[in-house]
Amino acid sequence: MTAHVIRVITDGDLTDCFAVRREVFVGEQRIPEAEEMDAYDAAAVHLLATGAAGRPVGTVRFLHGAAADKKYGRAGVEGATTAALGRLAVTAAARGTGLGAALVRAVEAEALRRGLTAVYLEAQTHALGFYERLGYTASGPEFDEGSGIPHRAMRRAL
């Protein structure tokens, strides 16, 4: 699958990001929408992947600065230097195509462009191998971030 990844600028693109997240997190993983869509969306940098005919097939967001400090400061994230990646979602039809890795690399590129030096994330434990193949290292114990799905903290220097 050939996908095009963009940094979200328009409200329409942001709506497409939310549609992918609803499909994956709310529909498939049964995370309540009130937990999935949060106040941090307004401060986040969102990326959108589109496939054939411009159909949205993937998304990811990252926080930095004060928003990252507020949400992830307990984990030692320093938002002035670290991008906090989250809400990576790829539709079922686009999985296994390399799109997830392309979205992570796009976050890294945008973080570097902004002068950030690391990426932090909280991975669902079933996805640890995916992130490890991209150079991320897990740390700390497994935890539940409130969704009932086990997670681990991960980091990669840029």
Side-chain angles (χ1 to χ4, degrees):
M1 162 182 278
T2 301
H4 180 65
V5 178
I6 62 164
R7 184 173 51 85
V8 169
I9 297 171
T10 70
D11 288 344
D13 290 339
L14 188 57
T15 298
D16 287 344
C17 290
F18 292 161
V20 171
R21 286 170 47 187
R22 280 185 185 97
E23 180 179 333
V24 174
F25 296 123
V26 177
E28 292 178 23
Q29 295 184 358
R30 304 287 185 230
I31 295 170
E33 187 166 342
E35 291 177 24
E36 172 50 29
M37 304 302 167
D38 64 21
Y40 294 103
D41 281 322
V45 176
H46 296 267
L47 302 175
L48 174 67
T50 55
R55 182 178 178 276
V57 292
T59 189
V60 65
R61 76 177 190 189
F62 73 90
L63 302 171
H64 64 96
D69 291 339
K70 185 175 179 184
K71 182 165 175 64
Y72 298 106
R74 59 162 168 63
V77 171
E78 296 177 13
T81 60
T82 304
L85 181 154
R87 303 305 203 263
L88 175 66
V90 174
T91 61
R95 288 185 200 136
T97 65
L99 180 57
L103 284 163
V104 171
R105 295 301 187 219
V107 165
E108 294 169 351
E110 184 65 19
L112 280 169
R113 191 182 74 70
R114 293 167 184 258
L116 304 175
T117 60
V119 176
Y120 169 86
L121 61 92
E122 294 178 348
Q124 294 180 358
T125 55
H126 71 83
L128 288 172
F130 165 77
Y131 290 109
E132 287 169 343
R133 286 188 295 279
L134 294 174
Y136 288 78
T137 303
S139 63
E142 192 174 289
F143 61 93
D144 179 352
E145 71 168 6
S147 63
I149 299 169
H151 286 70
R152 293 236 5 240
M154 301 189 86
R155 176 180 288 275
R156 179 176 185 262
L158 297 177

